[in-house]
Amino acid sequence: MKLYEYQTKELFQQVGIPTPKGKVIGSASDLESAKVDLPLPRVIKSQVRKGGRGKAGLIQFASTEEETKEAVHHLFRHPEKISKLLLEERLDIKKEMFLSITIDPKTSSPLIMACAEGGMEIEEIANLFPGMIVQERVDIFRGLGNFQARDVMCRLGLQGQQITHGAQILVQLYRLFRSFDAELLEINPLVMTREGTLVAADAKMNIDDNALFRQKRFVKSRDQFDDDLEFEAFQEGLHYIRFDGDIGVMSAGAGLTMTIMDLIKHFGGHPANFLEFGGAAYGRAAKAMDIALKNPKVKVILITTFGLIARADVIAQGIAQAIKELKPKIPIVAAVRGTGEEEAFKILEDVGIESMRDTEEAVKKAVVIAAGRAP
Ligand code: GDP
Ligand code: MN
């Protein structure tokens, strides 16, 4: 789950990471009613979950009240896309740095990455001059030592009090990273002001979705999704991702679903979605089909399962229920395999579906149907 900049900055304020003075508004009229008493000049920052706002024109600068108003109206002109703005005092920047913590998949440990040259060109810098990126691995059981944090700041070229200050920021950042089960926590730019203080001008945090059950402070709402169907599936406990093809995929188990998507591509077809109803959701075939059918591009539904603990006959009951309720008008190709499959075949036959015994053949058949050739 991606937090908004203003949410992450609220966490920063709670642990003493310095942020610019700011105020969140939800509409242009808030500008008057919420009494935005920030010093001028200001920065007006769109609260969207995507990076690269600066380059996309979603960050504006204003040196007067009039310009503030203009920028606010301009950025709110599509309120369905941008529903909140963060107004901040504009910092007097001497230098923009980059500071982040993520998980290193190779060592499965937190990894600090920092760079003395941060800001909007960080990707280019990392590509052209990888040696400029300072890296520090953290032993997850020991945590981040103050000496390590100071070392990172020294390697960034900071001096004197700034090392102490930068290390305090990093230690607090790591604390947040762990206590909120973050996958990514990033300050870009970490600004050094003309007066020489360090301030987090931007803030980005992704929380591991698998930890949301214990991160009750944050709830995934519609604005965390790009798509109505993806949100609907999430609420039903199903994993759905929309693609632009025409084969509606329904599979039990993420691994099998990925394999089926690969097979579809291999045989020249195009999946319309990723949709997985395995694991705890294996009784949810009816809801899964309901969602798969809602995409108007879908020409054929391909159901594949390989049930061991998630029994094939239970899955088949869900599919049979779905067929009775939804009466799909497009062809259904199924290979419902696994524990209890003989029973599953019978259940499906009763609703007019002949389950195939070879998963690859089922994929081929779906590809042929979607392409409009006779199966
Ligand atoms: P992003 O492009 O989505 O990462 O948005 P940022 O919050 O990082 O803003 C993009 C750029 O705007 C930064 O790299 C800065 O150059 C500039 N910027 C952001 N906040 C301030 C500020 O308070 N003062 C000044 N002078 N520039 C800012
Ligand atoms: Mn940024």
Side-chain angles (χ1 to χ4, degrees), residues 45 52-53 119-120 186-189 201-204:
K45 312 185 78 179
R53 292 168 303 166
M120 295 193 280
E186 179 186 293
I187 304 177
N188 185 35
D202 191 9
K204 195 182 271 178

Side-chain angles (χ1 to χ4, degrees), residues 5 9 20 43 45 50-55 59 61 88-93 96 118-120 186 188-189 191 201-204:
E5 174 189 13
K9 281 183 169 167
V43 190
K45 312 185 78 179
K50 294 190 182 93
R53 292 168 303 166
K55 287 183 176 172
I59 308 275
F61 300 96
E88 285 185 340
E89 57 172 332
R90 182 166 181 174
L91 300 168
D92 196 2
I93 298 180
E96 299 195 6
M120 295 193 280
E186 179 186 293
N188 185 35
V191 161
D202 191 9
K204 195 182 271 178

Side-chain angles (χ1 to χ4, degrees), residues 20 48 71:
V48 294

Side-chain angles (χ1 to χ4, degrees), residues 246-264:
D246 47 19
I247 300 178
V249 174
M250 283 176 60
S251 281
L256 180 63
T257 314
M258 297 297 280
T259 310
I260 296 297
M261 310 242 321
D262 284 346
L263 278 173
I264 290 174

